[in-house]
Amino acid sequence: MIKLLSQRLLGPVTLLALAATLWMGLVVTPPDKVQGDLARLVYVHPALAWVALYLSFGTATIASGLYLWKRTRSMVMDRVAHSAMEVSLVFIVLTLITGSIWGRPTWGVWWAWDARLTSTAILGVLALGYLALRRANDDPTLRARRSAVLAILAAINVPIIHFSVQWWKTLHQGATVFTASRTLLIHGSMAWTLLLSFVAFTMLFFWLLRARYRLEVQRERTSGQSLRDALEERRREGAF
Amino acid sequence: MIRTALLVAGKDLRIELRSRVLLWQVVPFGVMALLLSGLALGPANAGHSSAGPGLFYLVVLLVALLMINRSQAVESTPGTRSSVATLGLDPAGVFLGKALALATELWLTGLVLLAGAVLFLHTALHGALVALPSIVVTLAALAAAGTLYGALTAGGGGAATLLPVLALPAFAPLLIAGERSFSAALGGGALWEWWVIIAVALAAYLAIGILLYGVLEES
């Protein structure tokens, strides 16, 4: 019952949360003192980055690790990793686009050779490479093993992205929500909207992951089915 | 593990020595790429450009891609991979051996390209010699990462085109760190922070290779 409710409710609740984020971000919250309306991108961009870099990529890496570990090896882990990586790629692209929209009026350019921007773009190419590797191997076991190793190799880039603003002098700002001493920098409706955006995009991730996973299961089923149909057809041809 | 590594490295290097592909194909390609880089800058700028370290590492990356493909191709003959698998060799040793052979080839080619950078791009000889230890470690890290990525793409559809797509983004931090340490050596700046990045990358790729190469060999 709970499972059925969560399956039925996840989509509508996600849409409601996203709509509420949009309403609070555009109507309820005031414009920023310095950046004006441009600061409203803070209700989208950090939440997108959270899903892209940590939630999706983290899920793909953990599922890949679990696939490689003999005790937990199953095609379920491979499907989860694949689905999470696809969702991650979409969110990485959205993160870069929203960052670029903010960067043009703020920095004067659509793209800057900044450590965080560049390392995030590299992670996007790695995610693309992961999907290309999967397409290059037809054998499901070979595909699963190779892509699991690649996901773990690619994950090395995530801490580099996270700490890039500390390790190098970057245009990209450092910690925005909390200071180093854990003091909140955003207050009132702005803080609540930011929090809501993180919740909404996290729910969106789980919704998309679930949908992509189900699609993958159905694709595997139909590809097996078409092979069985083809074999059956050949047998019938042989009978004549 | 070390014995297996030396055996595999010896085998790969002997194949390279007999086929002379490195000498007659890879090194000339690298020198040509270095010359073309100079021409791309323009004859007036190539002689006194600060782009020498960057161009050196860019050419090294191109050459490394050829070498990685070559390193995997020596085992692409039907039956070779499965024969090696049935020998029961320690996969960690096989990984280290292949990485060592690739690193040796990269070191030799790197020396020729460094001489080319001094000659064609007028990179200061003293700076190049100071940068030599960091180049050696960067190329070793490239070899370790390249061996892993080579094994990932070996035998798959479109392996030759898939390798650059997968490996170049992973090589980017090594390219940056290598170029910065080379530039610091030329300019007399601090080297240690780039050394740390290169050393950490080398250790990470070696650790992942030792742990996971067996999985790739199994497949």
Side-chain angles (χ1 to χ4, degrees), chain A residues 109-143:
Chain A
V109 284
W110 292 105
W111 177 263
W113 287 102
D114 174 85
R116 179 161 277 186
L117 270 69
T118 313
S119 50
T120 306
I122 286 173
L123 192 72
V125 181
L126 282 168
L128 259 179
Y130 174 95
L131 299 177
L133 182 68
R134 291 192 71 90
R135 291 182 73 87
N137 291 289
D138 293 327
D139 176 38
T141 313
L142 183 74
R143 182 171 60 211

CSV table of all heavy atoms in Angstrom, one decimal, chain A residues 109-143:
chain,number,residue,atom,x,y,z
A,109,VAL,N,30.9,37.3,-19.4
A,109,VAL,CA,31.1,36.3,-20.4
A,109,VAL,C,30.2,35.1,-20.1
A,109,VAL,O,29.8,34.9,-19.0
A,109,VAL,CB,32.6,35.8,-20.4
A,109,VAL,CG1,33.5,36.8,-21.1
A,109,VAL,CG2,33.0,35.5,-19.0
A,110,TRP,N,29.9,34.4,-21.2
A,110,TRP,CA,29.0,33.2,-21.0
A,110,TRP,C,29.8,32.0,-20.4
A,110,TRP,O,29.3,31.2,-19.7
A,110,TRP,CB,28.5,32.7,-22.4
A,110,TRP,CG,27.5,33.6,-23.0
A,110,TRP,CD1,27.7,34.5,-24.1
A,110,TRP,CD2,26.1,33.8,-22.6
A,110,TRP,NE1,26.5,35.2,-24.4
A,110,TRP,CE2,25.6,34.8,-23.5
A,110,TRP,CE3,25.3,33.3,-21.6
A,110,TRP,CZ2,24.2,35.2,-23.4
A,110,TRP,CZ3,24.0,33.7,-21.6
A,110,TRP,CH2,23.5,34.7,-22.4
A,111,TRP,N,31.1,32.0,-20.7
A,111,TRP,CA,32.0,30.9,-20.2
A,111,TRP,C,33.3,31.5,-19.7
A,111,TRP,O,33.9,32.4,-20.4
A,111,TRP,CB,32.3,29.9,-21.3
A,111,TRP,CG,33.2,28.8,-20.9
A,111,TRP,CD1,34.6,28.8,-21.1
A,111,TRP,CD2,32.9,27.7,-20.1
A,111,TRP,NE1,35.1,27.7,-20.5
A,111,TRP,CE2,34.1,27.0,-19.9
A,111,TRP,CE3,31.7,27.2,-19.6
A,111,TRP,CZ2,34.1,25.7,-19.2
A,111,TRP,CZ3,31.7,26.0,-18.9
A,111,TRP,CH2,32.9,25.3,-18.7
A,112,ALA,N,33.8,31.1,-18.5
A,112,ALA,CA,35.1,31.5,-18.0
A,112,ALA,C,35.9,30.3,-17.8
A,112,ALA,O,35.3,29.3,-17.4
A,112,ALA,CB,34.9,32.3,-16.7
A,113,TRP,N,37.2,30.4,-18.0
A,113,TRP,CA,38.1,29.3,-17.7
A,113,TRP,C,38.4,29.2,-16.2
A,113,TRP,O,39.5,29.3,-15.7
A,113,TRP,CB,39.4,29.4,-18.5
A,113,TRP,CG,39.1,29.1,-20.0
A,113,TRP,CD1,39.0,30.0,-21.0
A,113,TRP,CD2,38.9,27.8,-20.6
A,113,TRP,NE1,38.7,29.4,-22.1
A,113,TRP,CE2,38.7,28.0,-21.9
A,113,TRP,CE3,38.9,26.5,-20.1
A,113,TRP,CZ2,38.4,27.0,-22.8
A,113,TRP,CZ3,38.6,25.5,-21.0
A,113,TRP,CH2,38.4,25.7,-22.3
A,114,ASP,N,37.3,28.9,-15.5
A,114,ASP,CA,37.3,28.8,-14.1
A,114,ASP,C,37.4,27.3,-13.7
A,114,ASP,O,36.9,26.5,-14.4
A,114,ASP,CB,36.0,29.4,-13.6
A,114,ASP,CG,35.8,29.3,-12.1
A,114,ASP,OD1,36.3,30.1,-11.3
A,114,ASP,OD2,35.2,28.3,-11.6
A,115,ALA,N,38.1,27.1,-12.5
A,115,ALA,CA,38.4,25.7,-12.1
A,115,ALA,C,37.1,24.9,-12.0
A,115,ALA,O,37.0,23.8,-12.4
A,115,ALA,CB,39.2,25.7,-10.9
A,116,ARG,N,36.1,25.5,-11.3
A,116,ARG,CA,34.9,24.8,-11.1
A,116,ARG,C,34.1,24.5,-12.3
A,116,ARG,O,33.6,23.4,-12.6
A,116,ARG,CB,34.0,25.5,-10.0
A,116,ARG,CG,32.7,24.7,-9.8
A,116,ARG,CD,32.0,25.1,-8.5
A,116,ARG,NE,32.6,24.4,-7.3
A,116,ARG,CZ,32.1,24.5,-6.1
A,116,ARG,NH1,31.1,25.2,-5.9
A,116,ARG,NH2,32.7,23.8,-5.1
A,117,LEU,N,34.0,25.6,-13.2
A,117,LEU,CA,33.3,25.4,-14.4
A,117,LEU,C,33.9,24.3,-15.3
A,117,LEU,O,33.2,23.5,-15.9
A,117,LEU,CB,33.2,26.7,-15.2
A,117,LEU,CG,32.1,27.7,-14.9
A,117,LEU,CD1,32.2,28.3,-13.6
A,117,LEU,CD2,32.1,28.8,-16.0
A,118,THR,N,35.2,24.5,-15.4
A,118,THR,CA,35.9,23.5,-16.3
A,118,THR,C,35.8,22.1,-15.8
A,118,THR,O,35.6,21.2,-16.6
A,118,THR,CB,37.4,23.9,-16.4
A,118,THR,OG1,37.5,25.3,-16.7
A,118,THR,CG2,38.1,23.2,-17.6
A,119,SER,N,36.0,21.9,-14.5
A,119,SER,CA,36.0,20.5,-13.9
A,119,SER,C,34.6,20.0,-14.0
A,119,SER,O,34.4,18.8,-14.2
A,119,SER,CB,36.5,20.5,-12.5
A,119,SER,OG,35.9,21.5,-11.7
A,120,THR,N,33.5,20.8,-13.9
A,120,THR,CA,32.1,20.3,-14.1
A,120,THR,C,31.9,19.9,-15.5
A,120,THR,O,31.3,18.9,-15.8
A,120,THR,CB,31.1,21.4,-13.7
A,120,THR,OG1,31.5,21.9,-12.3
A,120,THR,CG2,29.7,20.9,-13.7
A,121,ALA,N,32.4,20.7,-16.5
A,121,ALA,CA,32.3,20.4,-17.9
A,121,ALA,C,33.0,19.1,-18.2
A,121,ALA,O,32.4,18.2,-18.9
A,121,ALA,CB,32.8,21.5,-18.8
A,122,ILE,N,34.1,18.9,-17.6
A,122,ILE,CA,34.9,17.6,-17.8
A,122,ILE,C,34.1,16.4,-17.2
A,122,ILE,O,34.0,15.4,-17.9
A,122,ILE,CB,36.3,17.7,-17.1
A,122,ILE,CG1,37.2,18.6,-17.9
A,122,ILE,CG2,36.9,16.3,-16.9
A,122,ILE,CD1,38.5,18.9,-17.3
A,123,LEU,N,33.4,16.6,-16.1
A,123,LEU,CA,32.6,15.6,-15.5
A,123,LEU,C,31.4,15.2,-16.5
A,123,LEU,O,31.0,14.1,-16.7
A,123,LEU,CB,32.0,16.0,-14.2
A,123,LEU,CG,31.3,14.9,-13.4
A,123,LEU,CD1,32.4,13.9,-12.8
A,123,LEU,CD2,30.5,15.4,-12.2
A,124,GLY,N,30.9,16.3,-17.2
A,124,GLY,CA,29.8,16.1,-18.1
A,124,GLY,C,30.3,15.2,-19.3
A,124,GLY,O,29.6,14.3,-19.7
A,125,VAL,N,31.5,15.5,-19.8
A,125,VAL,CA,32.1,14.7,-20.9
A,125,VAL,C,32.3,13.3,-20.4
A,125,VAL,O,32.1,12.3,-21.2
A,125,VAL,CB,33.4,15.4,-21.4
A,125,VAL,CG1,33.9,14.6,-22.6
A,125,VAL,CG2,33.1,16.8,-21.9
A,126,LEU,N,32.8,13.1,-19.2
A,126,LEU,CA,33.0,11.8,-18.6
A,126,LEU,C,31.7,11.0,-18.6
A,126,LEU,O,31.6,9.8,-18.9
A,126,LEU,CB,33.6,11.8,-17.2
A,126,LEU,CG,35.1,12.1,-17.2
A,126,LEU,CD1,35.5,12.4,-15.8
A,126,LEU,CD2,35.9,10.9,-17.7
A,127,ALA,N,30.6,11.7,-18.2
A,127,ALA,CA,29.3,11.0,-18.2
A,127,ALA,C,28.8,10.6,-19.6
A,127,ALA,O,28.3,9.5,-19.8
A,127,ALA,CB,28.2,11.9,-17.5
A,128,LEU,N,29.1,11.5,-20.5
A,128,LEU,CA,28.8,11.2,-22.0
A,128,LEU,C,29.6,10.0,-22.4
A,128,LEU,O,29.1,9.1,-23.1
A,128,LEU,CB,29.2,12.4,-22.8
A,128,LEU,CG,28.2,13.3,-23.3
A,128,LEU,CD1,28.8,14.4,-24.2
A,128,LEU,CD2,27.1,12.5,-24.2
A,129,GLY,N,30.9,9.9,-22.0
A,129,GLY,CA,31.8,8.8,-22.3
A,129,GLY,C,31.3,7.5,-21.7
A,129,GLY,O,31.3,6.5,-22.3
A,130,TYR,N,30.7,7.6,-20.5
A,130,TYR,CA,30.1,6.4,-19.8
A,130,TYR,C,29.0,5.9,-20.7
A,130,TYR,O,28.9,4.6,-20.9
A,130,TYR,CB,29.6,6.8,-18.5
A,130,TYR,CG,28.8,5.8,-17.7
A,130,TYR,CD1,29.5,5.0,-16.8
A,130,TYR,CD2,27.5,5.6,-17.9
A,130,TYR,CE1,28.8,4.0,-16.1
A,130,TYR,CE2,26.8,4.6,-17.2
A,130,TYR,CZ,27.4,3.8,-16.3
A,130,TYR,OH,26.7,2.9,-15.6
A,131,LEU,N,28.1,6.7,-21.2
A,131,LEU,CA,27.0,6.3,-22.0
A,131,LEU,C,27.5,5.8,-23.4
A,131,LEU,O,27.0,4.8,-23.9
A,131,LEU,CB,26.0,7.4,-22.2
A,131,LEU,CG,25.4,8.0,-20.9
A,131,LEU,CD1,24.5,9.2,-21.3
A,131,LEU,CD2,24.6,6.9,-20.2
A,132,ALA,N,28.6,6.4,-23.9
A,132,ALA,CA,29.2,5.9,-25.2
A,132,ALA,C,29.8,4.5,-25.0
A,132,ALA,O,29.6,3.6,-25.8
A,132,ALA,CB,30.3,6.9,-25.7
A,133,LEU,N,30.4,4.3,-23.8
A,133,LEU,CA,31.0,3.0,-23.5
A,133,LEU,C,29.9,1.9,-23.5
A,133,LEU,O,30.1,0.8,-23.9
A,133,LEU,CB,31.8,3.0,-22.2
A,133,LEU,CG,32.5,1.8,-21.8
A,133,LEU,CD1,33.7,1.4,-22.7
A,133,LEU,CD2,33.0,1.8,-20.4
A,134,ARG,N,28.8,2.2,-22.9
A,134,ARG,CA,27.7,1.3,-22.8
A,134,ARG,C,27.2,0.9,-24.2
A,134,ARG,O,26.9,-0.3,-24.4
A,134,ARG,CB,26.6,1.8,-21.9
A,134,ARG,CG,26.9,2.0,-20.5
A,134,ARG,CD,25.6,2.3,-19.7
A,134,ARG,NE,24.8,1.1,-19.6
A,134,ARG,CZ,24.8,0.2,-18.6
A,134,ARG,NH1,25.7,0.3,-17.7
A,134,ARG,NH2,24.0,-0.8,-18.6
A,135,ARG,N,27.1,1.9,-25.1
A,135,ARG,CA,26.6,1.6,-26.4
A,135,ARG,C,27.6,0.8,-27.2
A,135,ARG,O,27.3,0.1,-28.2
A,135,ARG,CB,26.4,2.9,-27.2
A,135,ARG,CG,25.2,3.7,-26.6
A,135,ARG,CD,25.0,4.9,-27.4
A,135,ARG,NE,24.4,4.6,-28.7
A,135,ARG,CZ,23.1,4.5,-29.0
A,135,ARG,NH1,22.2,4.7,-28.0
A,135,ARG,NH2,22.6,4.2,-30.1
A,136,ALA,N,28.9,0.8,-26.8
A,136,ALA,CA,30.0,0.2,-27.6
A,136,ALA,C,30.1,-1.3,-27.3
A,136,ALA,O,30.7,-2.1,-28.0
A,136,ALA,CB,31.3,0.8,-27.4
A,137,ASN,N,29.4,-1.8,-26.2
A,137,ASN,CA,29.5,-3.2,-25.8
A,137,ASN,C,28.1,-3.8,-25.8
A,137,ASN,O,27.3,-3.3,-25.1
A,137,ASN,CB,30.1,-3.3,-24.4
A,137,ASN,CG,31.6,-2.9,-24.4
A,137,ASN,OD1,32.4,-3.6,-24.9
A,137,ASN,ND2,31.9,-1.7,-23.8
A,138,ASP,N,28.0,-4.9,-26.6
A,138,ASP,CA,26.7,-5.5,-26.7
A,138,ASP,C,26.4,-6.5,-25.6
A,138,ASP,O,25.3,-6.7,-25.1
A,138,ASP,CB,26.6,-6.2,-28.0
A,138,ASP,CG,26.5,-5.2,-29.2
A,138,ASP,OD1,26.0,-4.1,-28.9
A,138,ASP,OD2,27.0,-5.5,-30.3
A,139,ASP,N,27.5,-7.2,-25.1
A,139,ASP,CA,27.4,-8.2,-24.1
A,139,ASP,C,27.0,-7.5,-22.7
A,139,ASP,O,27.8,-6.7,-22.3
A,139,ASP,CB,28.7,-9.0,-23.9
A,139,ASP,CG,28.6,-10.0,-22.8
A,139,ASP,OD1,27.5,-10.6,-22.6
A,139,ASP,OD2,29.6,-10.2,-22.1
A,140,PRO,N,25.8,-7.9,-22.1
A,140,PRO,CA,25.4,-7.2,-20.9
A,140,PRO,C,26.4,-7.3,-19.7
A,140,PRO,O,26.6,-6.3,-19.1
A,140,PRO,CB,24.1,-7.9,-20.5
A,140,PRO,CG,23.7,-8.6,-21.7
A,140,PRO,CD,24.9,-8.9,-22.5
A,141,THR,N,27.1,-8.4,-19.6
A,141,THR,CA,28.0,-8.6,-18.4
A,141,THR,C,29.2,-7.7,-18.7
A,141,THR,O,29.7,-7.0,-17.8
A,141,THR,CB,28.4,-10.0,-18.3
A,141,THR,OG1,27.2,-10.8,-18.3
A,141,THR,CG2,29.1,-10.3,-17.0
A,142,LEU,N,29.8,-7.8,-19.9
A,142,LEU,CA,31.0,-7.0,-20.2
A,142,LEU,C,30.6,-5.5,-20.1
A,142,LEU,O,31.4,-4.7,-19.5
A,142,LEU,CB,31.3,-7.3,-21.7
A,142,LEU,CG,32.6,-6.6,-22.2
A,142,LEU,CD1,33.8,-7.2,-21.7
A,142,LEU,CD2,32.6,-6.7,-23.8
A,143,ARG,N,29.5,-5.1,-20.6
A,143,ARG,CA,29.0,-3.7,-20.5
A,143,ARG,C,28.9,-3.2,-19.1
A,143,ARG,O,29.4,-2.2,-18.7
A,143,ARG,CB,27.7,-3.6,-21.2
A,143,ARG,CG,27.1,-2.2,-21.3
A,143,ARG,CD,25.9,-2.1,-22.2
A,143,ARG,NE,24.8,-3.0,-21.7
A,143,ARG,CZ,24.0,-3.6,-22.4
A,143,ARG,NH1,24.0,-3.5,-23.7
A,143,ARG,NH2,23.0,-4.4,-21.9
